[in-house]
């Protein structure tokens, strides 16, 4: 047994150790029960008493030497390990909190929420309908038969001969009437589609709000009263309304409703194209033919319907000149509302 050699070997292996797990392997090979020091101790048993005394002391010295070197190495590596851990896991409590930007409600959604609020307060139910619709509901049951010019006006995306992307929210009227549960007092909002080219006032997809009331003894003055109240609630108490005759196949008589220009109070300005009035919706008394087509008795039911363009209201209310801005979702634009 050469003590100097063993010590040198120990120092050499400790020099190459760079981590605590490596050091643990070293400990196992030298200082554990089956390690090199234990083996030396066992060898000692075979020696004579004289030799035992001599080598016993030497082995003990080696053991103490290895334990000592091990401890030094351990302290060094452990300190490095803790330092590293502190560096990587440090929490700097002085860093200011991240400023998360929160999105907000799109102007069209704001308009819809407002309109919904106004009609709900008048006791209207909110109903939804499908965006992919049967030709039968989108046109046929609304008294727009095949070949009717109103179909051309609503240049349509056909999925097949019988299925279309709805061109208006009016088919929800037919779906509700068909159920036959009366009285009906509902609004229904959603997306509609038309094969229109994009420009400042057109988009192939936009949004409408449909309204329908069906009961007994409903008259045109009910229609006027409800829509006038709506216009005042939405645009302001001082707004006046007027009804101009119009044509829709599913209402008879039909009208378009204008509001007095809320910018110039009716005097005429750029906003109302100098007319003093701005058109905001279509409406009319439900055509008796539609009752028939939807399975209701036309003699005993009266009611009215209306259709409002959500984008149109948003453009008017927020004084936006170009509809395309509503769809670009540029936050610099949207943040203003
Ligand atoms: N559906 C019509 C359109 O898209 C709007 C409309 C007009 C709806 C009159 C109605 C109504 O319910 O009575 O042009």
């Amino acid at each position: 047994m050469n003590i100097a050699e063993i010590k040198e070997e120990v120092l050499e292996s400790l020099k190459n150790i760079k981590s605590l797990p490596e050091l643990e392997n070293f400990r196992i090979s030298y200082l554990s029960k089956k390690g090199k020091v234990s083996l030396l101790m066992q060898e000692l048993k075979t020696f004579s008493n004289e030799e035992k005394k001599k080598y016993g002391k030497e082995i003990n010295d080696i053991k103490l030497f290895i334990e000592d070197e091990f401890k030094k190495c351990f302290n060094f590596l452990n300190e490095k390990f803790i330092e590293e851990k502190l560096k990587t896991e440090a929490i700097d409590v002085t860093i200011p909190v991240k400023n998360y930007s929160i999105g907000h409600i799109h102007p069209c959604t704001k308009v819809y929420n407002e309109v919904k609020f106004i009609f709900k307060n008048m006791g209207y139910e909110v109903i939804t309908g499908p965006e992919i619709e049967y030709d039968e509901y989108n046109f046929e049951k609304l008294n727009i038969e095949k070949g009717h010019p109103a179909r051309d006006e609503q240049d349509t995306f056909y999925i097949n001969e019988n299925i279309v992307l709805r061109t208006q929210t009016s088919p929800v009227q037919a779906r509700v009437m068909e159920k036959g549960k009366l009285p009906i007092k509902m609004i229904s909002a959603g997306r509609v589609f038309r094969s229109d080219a994009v420009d400042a006032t057109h988009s192939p997809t936009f949004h409408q709000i449909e309204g329908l009331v069906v009961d007994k003894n409903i008259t045109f003055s009910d229609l006027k009263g409800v829509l006038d109240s709506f216009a005042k609630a939405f645009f302001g108490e001082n707004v006046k309304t007027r009804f101009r005759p119009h044509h829709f196949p599913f209402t008879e008589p039909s009208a378009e409703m204008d509001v007095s220009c809320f910018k110039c109070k009716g005097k005429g300005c750029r906003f109302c194209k100098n007319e003093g009035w701005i058109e905001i919706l279509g409406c009319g008394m439900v055509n008796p033919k539609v009752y028939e087509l939807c399975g209701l008795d036309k003699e005993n039911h009266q009611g009215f319907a209306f259709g409002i363009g959500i984008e149109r209201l948003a453009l008017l209310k927020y004084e936006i000149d170009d509809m395309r801005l509503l769809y670009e979702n540029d936050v610099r634009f949207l943040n203003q509302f």
Side-chain angles (χ1 to χ4, degrees):
M1 183 173 56
N2 186 333
I3 295 182
E5 248 174 44
I6 295 178
K7 283 187 176 175
E8 206 173 302
E9 186 194 301
V10 164
L11 290 175
E12 195 56 32
S13 20
L14 282 175
K15 237 203 266 171
N16 293 325
I17 288 178
K18 298 275 180 297
S19 70
L20 287 172
E22 278 170 41
L23 184 62
E24 175 60 7
N25 288 339
F26 168 88
R27 189 194 63 77
I28 292 166
S29 79
Y30 282 93
L31 298 170
S32 68
K33 262 190 196 164
K34 286 181 184 162
K36 284 181 183 165
V37 173
S38 287
L39 289 178
L40 286 176
M41 296 277 197
Q42 271 162 31
E43 250 177 66
L44 200 60
K45 285 181 198 155
T46 61
F47 289 3
S48 68
N49 278 351
E50 196 78 356
E51 284 169 324
K52 267 185 195 164
K53 254 191 197 168
K54 182 172 173 259
Y55 290 119
K57 192 176 168 318
E58 279 184 13
I59 293 170
N60 216 33
D61 277 354
I62 289 179
K63 192 178 172 231
L64 291 176
F65 171 78
I66 298 176
E67 280 176 352
D68 203 39
E69 289 302 318
F70 168 81
K71 227 178 246 170
K72 275 195 238 165
C73 189
F74 175 83
N75 288 343
F76 173 73
L77 287 176
N78 196 39
E79 209 166 290
K80 248 178 55 178
F81 172 75
I82 291 172
E83 243 173 57
E84 204 60 33
K85 212 170 149 131
L86 282 175
K87 248 192 251 165
T88 53
E89 292 179 10
I91 296 169
D92 184 349
V93 291
T94 64
I95 292 176
V97 285
K98 270 191 190 155
N99 203 0
Y100 291 105
S101 58
I102 299 171
H104 65 105
I105 295 180
H106 190 278
C108 283
T109 311
K110 268 177 103 160
V111 163
Y112 170 51
N113 287 343
E114 223 174 292
V115 174
K116 191 163 64 171
F117 179 79
I118 294 167
F119 281 101
K120 272 182 147 183
N121 277 348
M122 292 196 268
Y124 283 65
E125 194 183 351
V126 179
I127 302 231
T128 53
E131 289 175 358
I132 300 171
E133 186 54 285
Y134 290 107
D135 178 287
E136 189 187 353
Y137 286 93
N138 195 78
F139 294 124
E140 218 81 27
K141 284 177 187 278
L142 297 171
N143 195 31
I144 310 171
E145 61 212 17
K146 291 222 156 54
H148 194 292
R151 289 194 183 219
D152 291 345
E153 269 167 36
Q154 303 194 358
D155 233 348
T156 314
F157 293 111
Y158 281 89
I159 287 178
N160 61 33
E161 220 179 291
N162 304 317
I163 299 176
V164 297
L165 297 187
R166 66 175 176 189
T167 61
Q168 46 186 354
T169 43
S170 305
V172 184
Q173 287 190 33
R175 288 183 172 272
V176 174
M177 277 192 257
E178 202 177 55
K179 285 200 179 126
K181 250 177 80 187
L182 295 158
I184 297 166
K185 206 172 164 192
M186 66 94 177
I187 56 164
S188 181
R191 206 167 173 190
V192 301
F193 307 84
R194 292 183 194 183
S195 176
D196 277 336
V198 175
D199 65 22
T201 51
H202 292 88
S203 159
T205 168
F206 57 103
H207 300 80
Q208 290 186 330
I209 301 173
E210 194 75 18
L212 175 70
V213 173
V214 178
D215 202 350
K216 291 186 194 315
N217 303 321
I218 302 284
T219 65
F220 201 89
S221 48
D222 293 312
L223 175 158
K224 286 181 85 174
V226 165
L227 294 179
D228 185 74
S229 303
F230 158 70
K232 288 185 162 59
F234 188 82
F235 290 108
E237 265 313 301
N238 297 324
V239 150
K240 291 191 190 76
T241 53
R242 76 173 183 190
F243 291 78
R244 281 177 291 101
H246 199 80
H247 172 261
F248 298 105
F250 37 87
T251 44
E252 183 60 35
S254 304
E256 278 188 333
M257 183 176 92
D258 298 339
V259 291
S260 56
C261 180
F262 37 86
K263 259 327 274 163
C264 64
K265 311 264 178 304
K267 284 192 211 90
C269 66
R270 179 184 77 91
F271 213 58
C272 56
K273 299 194 184 92
N274 254 338
E275 293 200 7
W277 295 93
I278 300 173
E279 179 236 312
I280 64 158
L281 57 82
C283 58
M285 301 307 290
V286 177
N287 190 327
K289 274 200 194 144
V290 172
Y291 291 129
E292 254 175 2
L293 289 163
C294 297
L296 289 180
D297 164 14
K298 67 174 177 185
E299 302 303 330
N300 287 313
H301 297 105
Q302 295 82 38
F304 62 85
F306 51 91
I308 311 172
I310 294 186
E311 278 80 354
R312 187 164 167 73
L313 287 189
L315 297 184
L316 288 171
K317 182 140 187 167
Y318 301 116
E319 300 180 27
I320 302 165
D321 286 330
D322 193 325
M323 190 169 174
R324 285 168 287 201
L325 289 164
L326 293 174
Y327 304 122
E328 281 165 0
N329 284 338
D330 183 333
V331 284
R332 288 167 303 180
F333 168 76
L334 293 174
N335 275 339
Q336 299 171 68
F337 305 100

